[in-house]
Every structure is written in C-alpha cells, then in structure tokens.
Amino acid sequence: MAEKRTRQKKEKKPLGWEYEAECHAAGYTAVCGCDEAGRGPLAGPVVAAAVILPDGLVIDGLDDSKKLTEKKREALYDVIIENALAYGIAEASAGEIDEINILTAAMLAMNRAVDKLQIKADFALIDGNTSRGFKIPTRTVVGGDGKSPSIAAASVLAKVTRDRMCLELDRQYPEYGFAGHKGYPTKAHMDAVRKFGPCPEHRKTFLKFLDKPADEDENA
C-alpha cells in the first residue's frame, strides 16, 4: 500500500517591519504607510489611505489588498480602524482625474490622506515608485503593500472604501453594474457605456474605447 503524501500548507509569515524600523532608526517617530486604489477603473474617484500602526503590531492575514478576498478585506478593515494609532482616507474625484491625469490625482489623494491623519506623521512610506507633493520626507517601496504592514493596512482601507463607493454608484446608476466590476473596464461595463452613454462619475479621459468598434475591446 502506497504511503499517502500529505501536503502541509505553508503558513504565511506576517509582514516584516523592516521599512518602518529603518525609519525609526533614522529618528522618525510617526511613520505612516500610504497606498491608493482605483487607478485603472473607467469611473469613480481614486481613493487613498494613510495609516500609522503601533510599532510591531501583528494583524493576522494582513497583506496586499489585491491578494485578499472581499470578505477578508472587510474584516481587516475593522481590525485596522480599531488598532491604528491614526488613519486618514481621502480621494481625488473623476473630474480631478480628467483635469490633472490619474497619476497626479493619485498623488493628490495620498497627500490628502496623510493630511487627514489624527497624529501628524513625520515620514511616509509610499507604495510604488512615485512620490510627489508631500510635506514630509517619503520613501517609495515597489510592491510595498506586500512588504510593509503600514502600507498593506493603507491598501486595505483604500480598497474597501472605494469598493463601498462603487456599491453606492450601483444604487445611483444600476444600468452600469458597478457592484460587479467596481468601475473596471470589463466588456459588460464598456458595453453599458456604449448603450447608455457615460454617467457623471465616468472619467471622460478613460473612454477612448468609444471611438473604436466593440469587437476591438481588449476584454472582449
């Protein structure tokens, strides 16, 4: 009788505090993580969050929000809000995105989130490779939402907040199906925009697909 092989699922290690620790070693005392959600959608704001966590806090399951289920993100949202020393959530509107471009709008939303922190941060860890306009020193961390607990916490707050906004958009504009695609350019979403035209929350500069036949859609 062949011996059965059992696979042991590797337990995910908690995110390390290396980035925050380096900031503290340099003399900074209020280090926030900052991330955004919603650069790619055709509609709605880009939402950003900034979070200052207690040093060394371990939050079970905390990770890049894109790797988590909606149920897990919702649960983590409450844990982060309850345990954070400070957090700020802000946005840049669809109109602002059209006016100043999505990258600049994302930076604007992040700056607004940092400004909303109940405790003034003296350093910010920014997810990605771009940092603009901050009033405090910053460090960019590519893939930071999967490396730094502070950034991961910000990614969860931003994602959950934006998804909730999309549920509200779905109630206002049910014909577009925002509850399902959260504003992203799915075929169903693009077909709805072709059929009904854009709503006030659509980003006009993201609707170039209207100038080409539907069968050329990348997601078709």
Side-chain angles (χ1 to χ4, degrees), residues 6 11 17 20 26 39 49 70 105 110 125 157 171 183 207 214:
T6 59
E11 290 186 9
W17 283 84
E20 289 85 351
R39 285 198 194 188
E70 182 176 359
M110 286 187 183
L125 294 169
L157 296 193
R171 286 188 280 271
L207 303 182

Side-chain angles (χ1 to χ4, degrees), residues 3-178:
E3 185 179 347
K4 292 183 180 179
R5 294 182 180 179
T6 59
R7 295 182 179 178
Q8 292 184 346
K9 189 175 180 182
K10 291 184 179 179
E11 290 186 9
K12 175 128 178 32
K13 292 182 180 179
L15 299 179
W17 283 84
E18 290 84 0
Y19 292 96
E20 289 85 351
E22 288 178 14
C23 297
H24 293 148
Y28 298 103
T29 59
V31 180
C32 72
C34 197
D35 199 5
E36 51 74 27
R39 285 198 194 188
L42 306 178
V46 58
V47 177
V51 179
I52 302 175
L53 292 176
D55 190 26
L57 174 70
V58 175
I59 297 178
D60 262 356
L62 181 61
D63 202 349
D64 172 2
S65 63
K66 297 184 291 296
K67 298 177 182 177
L68 303 171
T69 64
E70 182 176 359
K71 182 177 180 181
K72 184 64 175 176
R73 287 194 299 266
E74 287 282 349
L76 284 170
Y77 180 96
D78 292 335
V79 174
I80 293 164
I81 294 295
E82 290 169 8
N83 288 278
L85 297 176
Y87 67 91
I89 303 172
E91 66 183 80
S93 69
E96 288 175 317
I97 292 168
D98 286 335
E99 183 178 350
I100 61 178
N101 77 51
I102 183 59
L103 178 57
T104 305
M107 291 294 109
L108 177 61
M110 286 187 183
N111 276 273
R112 288 171 173 170
V114 172
D115 287 344
K116 281 190 171 184
L117 288 166
Q118 300 93 334
I119 298 172
K120 185 174 176 59
D122 58 5
F123 197 96
L125 294 169
I126 310 295
D127 184 58
N129 60 7
T130 305
S131 170
R132 295 181 191 166
F134 290 91
K135 302 168 187 173
I136 57 177
T138 65
R139 176 179 177 181
T140 58
V141 183
V142 176
D145 44 9
K147 299 175 181 176
S148 155
S150 302
I151 299 176
S155 80
V156 170
L157 296 193
K159 174 65 174 168
V160 171
T161 298
R162 191 179 188 284
D163 283 355
R164 291 175 180 177
M165 289 178 172
C166 286
L167 294 180
E168 179 56 34
L169 286 179
D170 191 70
R171 286 188 280 271
Q172 293 181 47
Y173 309 103
E175 62 270 29
Y176 297 100
F178 285 114

